[in-house]
């Protein structure tokens, strides 16, 4: 996530006032995530999801797997809870 988009989601958590990031706001991130999950390479790697290779499909090695709503859930947590850079989203 860019620092500009993070600032736009939650200006209170930023140290600097940054310019808006109109491109990120124009995308339906769930559609983008689902499109990525439907690629051939994603599906090939997902076949190895229980191995160390499958972990590369996660946003970060400690994160949960993408599910079609992970990115929008993270955006919402930044917006409402002020998640910081590299702070994990705990989805139960």
């Amino acid at each position: 996530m860019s620092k500009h988009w993070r600032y736009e989601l939650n200006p209170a958590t930023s140290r600097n006032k940054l310019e808006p990031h109109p491109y990120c706001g124009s995308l339906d991130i769930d559609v983008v995530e689902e499109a990525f999950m439907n690629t051939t390479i994603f599906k090939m790697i997902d076949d190895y999801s229980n191995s160390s290779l499958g972990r590369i499909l996660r946003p970060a090695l400690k994160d949960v797997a993408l599910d079609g709503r992970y990115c929008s859930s993270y955006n919402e947590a930044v917006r409402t809870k002020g998640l910081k850079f590299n702070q994990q989203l705990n989805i139960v």
Side-chain angles (χ1 to χ4, degrees):
M1 174 180 291
S2 79
K3 63 184 178 182
H4 296 275
W5 180 237
R6 184 178 298 277
Y7 174 78
E8 195 167 330
L9 290 173
N10 191 334
T13 62
S14 180
R15 290 181 230 166
N16 304 308
K17 182 170 171 123
L18 300 170
E19 294 298 317
H21 200 294
Y23 183 73
C24 289
S26 70
L27 298 174
D28 181 334
I29 196 67
D30 290 336
V31 171
V32 173
E33 184 175 337
E34 287 176 14
F36 172 64
M37 292 172 66
N38 285 320
T39 62
T40 302
I41 189 72
F42 183 95
K43 291 175 182 179
M44 289 172 64
I45 295 171
D46 194 40
D47 288 341
Y48 297 95
S49 62
N50 293 327
S51 72
S52 60
L53 179 63
R55 294 186 313 165
I56 68 171
L57 296 177
R58 300 174 183 188
L61 293 178
K62 294 182 180 181
D63 285 327
V64 297
L66 296 177
D67 62 3
R69 292 221 6 99
Y70 177 88
C71 294
S72 62
S73 297
Y74 197 89
N75 282 349
E76 184 63 18
V78 169
R79 183 180 0 267
T80 61
K81 297 178 178 136
L83 256 60
K84 306 277 191 269
F85 180 74
N86 275 346
Q87 190 173 355
Q88 288 181 291
L89 176 62
N90 296 319
I91 299 175
V92 180

